[in-house]
Amino acid sequence: MVNDRFKISPYLALFVISTNQIGVGVLGFQRIIAKSAGHDSWIAIILAALCVHFLLFIMYMMLKKTDGDIINIHQNIFGKLIGNFLSNLFIVYLIVQTILVLRTYLEVLQVWMFPELNIWVFSFYFLGLAVYIISGGFRVVVGICFFSIVLPLYLWFSAAFPLEFSSFRNLLPIFDHSIKDMALATKDMTLSIIGFEIILVFYPFIKNPEKSHKWAHFGVMYTTLVYLVMGVTALIFFSPGQLEKTIWATLSMWKIVQMPIVERFEYIGIASWMLVVLPNVCLSLWGASRLLKKIYNVKQKYMLWAIALFVLIISGLLTNRKEINVLNEIYSQVGFYFLYLYIPFLFIATLILYKVRNKE
């Protein structure tokens, strides 16, 4: 059981869920989904969001029945041995998530700002900051999540600048793509919307967790709004041919922002984005170390330092775009099957288990 002094208010679930979904994916998701659905790809964002709402709903149903986290769910269904093995796989999933978020942000820094940036040094200090924050406890991590939503809010107003050079005709004709194309684009959104599954770890840290259900859905709605605004803006600003060749569409749109005191707004945007990336890394590191502590009954700080060291080493060894892309694709595929196949399977298994127990 988690002591009440370590728990957070239900409404803060909005910030935790939304923060973990809005990461580096916002900077370049437009090109990926436009490959399949073209100018209709904004519809895929809405479809992906509806899927997330459904998955979040069944996650809450499972967590409410077990009154615990993913370890309790696994142990109730599969027993302690197999359950802990599956929980370890989820820990690996969180660690890979940490590596991808950190390394992708480093790539943005290298390409757009500092080509000679030393990956090892930056990763060392970044992870050191994350470990310092996590050492303060989960409530401190949630505080960082709150500020990561509130402080960079000004960046979303930058979406107004490209409108001067945009054409809404780029969105026509609507529903011009097949169901297969829309399904592929919705699947491509997986990597961008991943993150809400962190509820499977921090659920026991919420006061009156059943009251946080609606706030978690509000968090997903905010995330959807952000992706929708940036997605539609890119579709009406770029031509299909331009968008196909633009890896970081959001950053490219920031380049046209002109202000009397700012020459290169994208530099401000990338620097500010560290406030968004930092809680992503903190939540994944905290979640992985928390689960390891619970499974192996070891102090969380030891696990935290070990994971941070591993992330530092792997991040430093990923030296080019091709390696990062391969890891991104593998993680995206694993995330897709985890969310759309494994989570519903766990939900059905939980329902059957508790139905049998009630009969007995």
Side-chain angles (χ1 to χ4, degrees):
M1 293 294 292
V2 178
N3 194 302
D4 281 349
R5 68 192 181 94
F6 299 123
K7 293 184 177 182
I8 61 172
S9 299
Y11 76 93
L12 289 172
L14 182 155
F15 297 96
V16 180
I17 294 292
S18 187
T19 295
N20 217 36
Q21 284 189 292
I22 300 175
V24 286
V26 178
L27 303 178
F29 74 98
Q30 299 95 327
R31 178 181 66 93
I32 298 172
I33 60 175
K35 282 181 180 179
S36 301
H39 59 267
D40 279 335
S41 56
W42 63 272
I43 302 174
I45 299 173
I46 298 175
L47 293 176
L50 294 175
C51 293
V52 171
H53 281 293
F54 171 72
L55 291 168
L56 192 60
F57 173 78
I58 64 176
M59 284 181 185
Y60 262 92
M61 293 300 101
M62 285 192 295
L63 292 165
K64 184 178 179 180
K65 285 184 176 296
T66 54
D67 193 25
D69 52 23
I70 191 168
I71 293 177
N72 299 103
I73 294 172
H74 280 152
Q75 289 182 351
N76 283 341
I77 297 173
F78 303 104
K80 190 172 182 179
L81 187 63
I82 299 177
N84 286 347
F85 171 75
L86 293 172
S87 297
N88 277 297
L89 293 181
F90 183 71
I91 291 168
V92 173
Y93 172 86
L94 291 176
I95 294 172
V96 174
Q97 186 181 84
T98 309
I99 295 168
L100 278 178
V101 170
L102 175 59
R103 190 61 188 86
T104 305
Y105 181 66
L106 280 170
E107 184 188 15
V108 172
L109 285 176
Q110 286 180 309
V111 172
W112 287 82
M113 294 179 69
F114 308 113
E116 302 299 324
L117 178 70
N118 189 309
I119 297 173
W120 293 93
V121 173
F122 185 90
S123 299
F124 177 80
Y125 285 110
F126 191 95
L127 289 169
L129 177 60
V131 169
Y132 175 73
I133 291 169
I134 298 168
S135 299
F138 181 64
R139 290 168 64 92
V140 176
V141 175
V142 175
I144 298 297
C145 293
F146 173 80
F147 286 113
S148 77
I149 294 292
V150 175
L151 294 182
L153 275 176
Y154 73 93
L155 289 175
W156 307 130
F157 293 102
S158 64
F161 287 88
L163 296 180
E164 181 183 354
F165 311 100
S166 301
S167 173
F168 282 91
R169 291 182 180 179
N170 290 350
L171 299 177
L172 301 175
I174 301 176
F175 303 117
D176 192 37
H177 292 76
S178 66
I179 295 176
K180 180 183 177 182
D181 292 336
M182 297 307 303
L184 288 173
T186 304
K187 181 184 176 183
D188 291 336
M189 273 296 296
T190 298
L191 186 60
S192 299
I193 63 172
I194 277 175
F196 64 95
E197 64 275 15
I198 196 67
I199 187 65
L200 295 170
V201 184
F202 79 88
Y203 183 84
F205 285 80
I206 308 174
K207 295 176 184 176
N208 302 316
E210 62 279 356
K211 292 184 179 180
S212 70
H213 194 168
K214 64 178 180 181
W215 292 106
H217 283 282
F218 286 150
V220 174
M221 289 169 65
Y222 173 75
T223 304
T224 306
L225 179 63
V226 169
Y227 276 106
L228 203 54
V229 168
M230 302 313 295
V232 171
T233 305
L235 288 172
I236 62 176
F237 178 71
F238 296 104
S239 68
Q242 289 174 326
L243 188 57
E244 186 180 347
K245 298 176 182 178
T246 306
I247 297 175
W248 307 103
T250 301
L251 296 179
S252 297
M253 289 190 292
W254 280 347
K255 286 181 69 175
I256 71 162
V257 177
Q258 293 183 348
M259 295 180 181
I261 57 172
V262 178
E263 181 69 24
R264 299 292 297 270
F265 183 80
E266 70 270 23
Y267 286 1
I268 295 177
I270 293 169
S272 301
W273 211 251
M274 183 175 172
L275 291 172
V276 179
V277 173
L278 180 59
N280 286 181
V281 172
C282 288
L283 282 170
S284 300
L285 283 176
W286 174 84
S289 58
R290 163 72 188 174
L291 294 179
L292 284 171
K293 171 193 173 183
K294 189 171 179 180
I295 293 174
Y296 298 106
N297 197 24
V298 212
K299 283 191 175 181
Q300 186 170 352
K301 64 178 181 179
Y302 299 143
M303 294 292 98
L304 178 61
W305 281 105
I307 296 170
L309 179 61
F310 178 77
V311 171
L312 173 64
I313 294 170
I314 300 301
S315 298
L317 294 177
L318 294 172
T319 55
N320 56 64
R321 174 76 184 172
K322 185 177 180 181
E323 294 172 351
I324 299 170
N325 273 346
V326 169
L327 190 59
N328 264 299
E329 289 172 6
I330 294 172
Y331 177 75
S332 181
Q333 291 292 330
V334 172
F336 176 80
Y337 292 117
F338 172 75
L339 293 176
Y340 293 102
L341 292 180
Y342 187 64
I343 292 298
F345 166 75
L346 283 183
F347 177 64
I348 294 170
T350 301
L351 289 181
I352 295 172
L353 177 67
Y354 279 86
K355 191 172 183 180
V356 171
R357 285 183 178 177
N358 288 335
K359 284 184 178 181
E360 291 177 351

